[in-house]
Amino acid sequence: MSLYPFETETREAKDLSGIWNFRPDSKGVGRKEKWHLGQWSESQMMAVPSSYNDVSQDVALRDHVGDVWYQRPVFVPASWKGDRVYLRVDAACHRGTVWLNGKEITSHKGGYLPFEADITESANYGGENKLVICVNNILDYTILPPGEIKTEKHAWGTITWQDIQHDFFNYAGLHRPVRLCRVPATYIADITTVPSVQGTTGSLKCSIETSGSTPHTVEWTARDHTGNTVATGSGANATLKILKARLWEPGNAYLYTLEAKLVSKAGVLLDVYRFPVGIRTVQIKGKRFYINGKPFYFKGFGKHEDASIRGKALDHALNVKDFNLMRWIGANSARTSHYPYSEEFMQMADRDGLVVIDESPAVGLQFFGKTTKFFIPEKGGNPELLRHHIEVMQDLIRRDKNYACVVMWSVQNEAGTDEEGSRPYFQAVIEATRKADPCKRPVTGVVCTTPTTDITCDLYDVVCVNRYHGWYWHPGRWTMIAPSMIAELKAWYKNFKKPVIITEYGADTVEGLHMDPPVIFSEEYQIKFLDCNHEAFDACDFVIGEHVWNFADFATKQGITRVNGNRKGVFTRERQPKSAAFALKKRWSDPSFDERMAAKK
Ligand code: GCB
């Protein structure tokens, strides 16, 4: 995977978003019948990017399990010959295989990270190319998130379905853009920046990976928002020093433009890449989390990439609305629960000053007493899962390492971290994560175990806990929330001596349902539930953050505990506020809130 395909004077990217030809492969015959040759006599229309599930009137497509096929013609300009040409697929959920002109050019496992195929040799320049992508949505125990295909035999027949252990609909398809890209034959393959601050000087330690045979030198320039050069450097590794640097701050982001140029010995520009970069520091000391040396209290949400009709697809209008709502309500942070979000989302967070906990797609590694079997290869577990998990963390960090908004990695959500085998498994994942990040950000994982049963939390820098007193435990009994939460939080701190973020607390709420005294599912209960939790958080000086579950209502699989999806949103799925939104806004927008949280005793 190379750099995000920003265009420059040496680089081009054609966004292939639009209507593609589409065929669900309900009988699983596509490969045998060579659908990859792209000679289709019939097909449906499909939007890219989109999940395919909710755009159809066909229940079989909504609940489809297996392959679907996408196809479209692609024109590769003759002028691109001699350069490096590649296809970039930003997200094929959950497995993608790509053919160009009938030849397989790449395949990839994992639905939330980009992958590429070099087509420099195989493209038909100055003419049409047949692009075919097969996307498979099957989840098993070798992929994140894990799942299982279940079969039940009855006298009247056999039924088969995809079983999942996570609480969001298994949307699938080409969820993010597909692009045709051109870079020079000798090009910038990757850039790594490590920011630091010394007094009023900001430093960016920059390093570059290049590819290609033309000998070259590297020139670096950092510019401010007016285009003024504020620092320069040269060489594959350089440290740029910006005097009187403006720092990237939560809610008050400042981004410099970093430019890297490859110049030939004869002084010819070979390649140039520019991207926005923020300077900030992150540190944990004792009970506090510091950004730029100031104590930071996380207030915000666990989110989802989810909306009606397009499912999990990138939607710029929706993202802008979400960022506006987060600012409106006074949120300063979010977790990319439960998978890496689009690069465009990360860029918006960087620009808007939204602090991000960047999470892997390891959700639902809960095997309910059978964890040993999955986590320990010697006991029959599949080593493929751990290998894939480590690879996903490495790819995520390669993709997101330069974003100032990312202040912590989350390696998992609610794994069975009280079961034998989970410790060596996560020890390996955490170690690989720390090793992969050049910026050495803190690492966490989100637990739902108890302070006495968890066997992994000492491995993390921050204890992140999902807790639902007054909802899953003692639903409706809100008077119990504050005392039971305080007792539990204190036990987490006593046992692990790390700052604590409550990464999930929330109550399903049907907008328009009013009950006084408060009763579960009513708007009044959501407010009461949040208030009682806040009373507990405010009483614990080691609590450094609160992320309400969830920002907005979202789709789940069908089940008797979900009435039209998960309704714990503070906003509806259409992004309208429930009453709790106004209560949260009052708490989080209070000018003294951040100061009070920072000074908690
Ligand atoms: C959790 C999960 C989240 C669910 C939530 C709920 O603990 O992390 O994915 O949606 O609970 O509402 O049940």
Side-chain angles (χ1 to χ4, degrees):
M1 177 208 320
S2 57
L3 293 160
Y4 182 81
F6 286 124
E7 290 195 313
T8 67
E9 49 272 45
T10 57
R11 300 174 156 242
E12 282 177 82
K14 282 185 176 207
D15 189 340
L16 304 179
S17 298
I19 301 299
W20 290 44
N21 302 316
F22 178 81
R23 283 175 88 178
D25 191 359
S26 49
K27 299 203 180 89
V29 296
R31 284 168 202 257
K32 215 169 89 211
E33 292 181 0
K34 298 194 184 337
W35 290 9
H36 53 268
L37 298 180
Q39 283 144 356
W40 301 1
S41 52
E42 52 187 67
S43 63
Q44 308 176 18
M45 297 184 284
M46 185 53 65
V48 175
S50 174
S51 297
Y52 55 73
N53 311 81
D54 286 351
V55 295
S56 172
Q57 285 306 99
D58 182 1
V59 66
L61 181 55
R62 192 197 59 201
D63 297 337
H64 176 76
V65 178
D67 289 342
V68 297
W69 295 73
Y70 293 78
Q71 185 247 75
R72 62 160 281 167
V74 174
F75 186 80
V76 183
S79 60
W80 286 18
K81 206 166 173 118
D83 284 342
R84 177 181 182 246
V85 180
Y86 63 96
L87 265 163
R88 190 184 206 261
V89 181
D90 284 0
C93 211
H94 297 283
R95 288 178 167 91
T97 308
V98 186
W99 290 262
L100 192 77
N101 302 324
K103 199 174 142 229
E104 184 176 326
I105 51 172
T106 191
S107 67
H108 179 262
K109 182 168 102 174
Y112 301 96
L113 288 169
F115 60 99
E116 292 173 0
D118 192 311
I119 57 165
T120 310
E121 301 302 328
S122 53
N124 172 28
Y125 292 90
E128 209 170 271
N129 293 263
K130 216 163 249 311
L131 175 61
V132 176
I133 305 181
C134 175
V135 179
N136 181 286
N137 69 348
I138 292 181
L139 296 172
D140 56 23
Y141 290 118
T142 67
I143 194 171
L144 297 175
E148 190 172 342
I149 298 293
K150 294 235 160 122
T151 302
E152 247 177 42
K153 285 196 165 75
H154 296 274
W156 45 263
T158 300
I159 50 168
T160 300
W161 73 98
Q162 171 75 64
D163 192 37
I164 52 174
Q165 288 148 201
H166 52 270
D167 180 42
F168 50 93
F169 190 82
N170 189 28
Y171 281 117
L174 293 172
H175 282 161
R176 297 173 193 159
V178 178
R179 293 185 186 90
L180 182 65
C181 306
R182 179 193 68 80
V183 295
T186 295
Y187 66 97
I188 300 166
D190 196 20
I191 293 175
T192 301
T193 57
V194 179
S196 62
V197 177
Q198 303 79 35
T200 56
T201 303
S203 294
L204 272 179
K205 211 167 126 205
C206 307
S207 53
I208 202 164
E209 255 178 49
T210 60
S211 182
S213 57
T214 312
H216 55 262
T217 54
V218 181
E219 292 173 7
W220 302 93
T221 309
R223 297 194 177 84
D224 66 13
H225 67 282
T226 64
N228 276 338
T229 298
V230 291
T232 57
S234 59
N237 299 292
T239 299
L240 306 197
K241 294 215 176 282
I242 302 174
L243 303 177
K244 294 207 184 102
R246 258 177 86 175
L247 300 187
W248 185 97
E249 291 187 271
N252 185 24
Y254 188 81
L255 296 169
Y256 291 96
T257 299
L258 182 65
E259 175 186 271
K261 273 185 174 171
L262 298 193
V263 181
S264 78
K265 300 282 184 232
V268 176
L269 176 69
L270 299 172
D271 192 14
V272 54
Y273 187 78
R274 294 182 195 95
F275 65 105
V277 56
I279 298 176
R280 56 102 191 87
T281 61
V282 172
Q283 201 185 9
I284 294 170
K285 265 194 300 187
K287 294 174 184 168
R288 293 273 171 272
F289 195 102
Y290 295 86
I291 298 182
N292 299 331
K294 294 181 206 154
F296 180 75
Y297 188 86
F298 295 76
K299 47 179 183 176
F301 300 97
K303 280 187 97 269
H304 263 301
E305 288 186 320
D306 173 273
S308 60
I309 303 174
R310 63 287 224 190
K312 284 204 158 330
L314 171 65
D315 179 333
H316 295 303
L318 183 80
N319 276 350
V320 171
K321 179 72 175 173
D322 284 4
F323 272 86
N324 286 335
L325 286 174
M326 284 189 282
R327 199 167 260 275
W328 171 83
I329 206 168
N332 63 9
S333 54
R335 175 171 59 121
T336 66
S337 40
H338 296 306
Y339 37 80
Y341 288 5
S342 69
E343 287 156 275
E344 291 77 6
F345 179 94
M346 305 306 287
Q347 289 156 12
M348 291 169 80
D350 243 13
R351 177 177 168 165
D352 214 40
L354 185 83
V355 169
V356 173
I357 301 174
D358 204 354
E359 186 157 283
S360 86
V363 52
L365 276 78
Q366 275 256 27
F367 303 113
F368 307 106
K370 296 186 293 176
T371 300
T372 309
K373 181 169 161 234
F374 294 98
F375 284 164
I376 305 180
E378 297 76 43
K379 295 193 176 174
N382 191 338
E384 187 50 31
L385 185 67
L386 175 58
R387 212 171 18 239
H388 176 60
H389 200 151
I390 288 176
E391 237 171 61
V392 165
M393 290 315 303
Q394 290 165 339
D395 285 355
L396 172 64
I397 292 170
R398 190 174 167 99
R399 194 195 75 161
D400 289 355
K401 64 188 170 196
N402 291 325
Y403 294 121
C405 63
V406 178
V407 300
M408 185 153 62
W409 309 106
S410 162
V411 299
Q412 62 89 11
N413 180 77
E414 297 195 349
T417 52
D418 51 357
E419 294 184 36
E420 193 199 350
S422 64
R423 189 174 172 88
Y425 179 98
F426 281 107
Q427 218 157 10
V429 173
I430 293 163
E431 221 167 85
T433 303
R434 292 195 194 282
K435 200 164 150 220
D437 183 11
C439 299
K440 303 289 165 230
R441 291 171 178 87
V443 176
T444 192
V446 173
V447 300
C448 66
T449 42
T450 71
T452 48
T453 56
D454 192 276
I455 57 171
T456 59
C457 272
D458 60 304
L459 303 170
Y460 297 129
D461 297 304
V462 174
V463 171
C464 287
V465 189
N466 295 346
R467 202 43 91 230
Y468 291 89
H469 290 289
W471 188 257
Y472 290 120
W473 298 339
H474 307 296
R477 298 174 73 177
W478 54 266
T479 52
M480 296 179 62
I481 296 175
S484 50
M485 196 69 185
I486 291 175
E488 192 189 329
L489 288 170
K490 287 192 167 157
W492 281 109
Y493 187 72
K494 181 164 170 268
N495 292 0
F496 296 103
K497 296 276 179 305
K498 315 244 171 176
V500 175
I501 300 176
I502 298 83
T503 29
E504 288 183 22
Y505 61 112
D508 284 81
T509 304
V510 178
E511 69 275 17
L513 180 66
H514 293 285
M515 296 279 206
D516 187 53
V519 164
I520 59 168
F521 292 106
S522 68
E523 297 209 32
E524 285 73 14
Y525 189 76
Q526 192 179 33
I527 294 177
K528 191 53 114 182
F529 174 95
L530 295 177
D531 274 355
C532 295
N533 272 283
H534 296 154
E535 189 187 325
F537 307 162
D538 292 353
C540 299
D541 62 347
F542 50 84
V543 167
I544 57 156
E546 51 193 64
H547 276 179
V548 177
W549 190 256
N550 187 286
F551 173 73
D553 294 348
F554 59 91
T556 62
K557 69 179 179 190
Q558 297 184 67
I560 50 167
T561 57
R562 295 287 180 258
V563 183
N564 192 20
N566 188 310
R567 308 293 293 275
K568 295 192 185 69
V570 166
F571 298 96
T572 65
R573 204 174 185 214
E574 293 308 311
R575 273 50 180 182
Q576 294 305 321
K578 299 179 190 172
S579 304
F582 298 96
L584 270 176
K585 178 174 166 59
K586 195 161 168 231
R587 172 175 168 84
W588 289 345
S589 302
D590 179 335
S592 69
F593 180 80
D594 294 337
E595 246 168 69
R596 273 191 288 122
M597 292 305 122
K600 257 201 223 174
K601 288 258 162 43

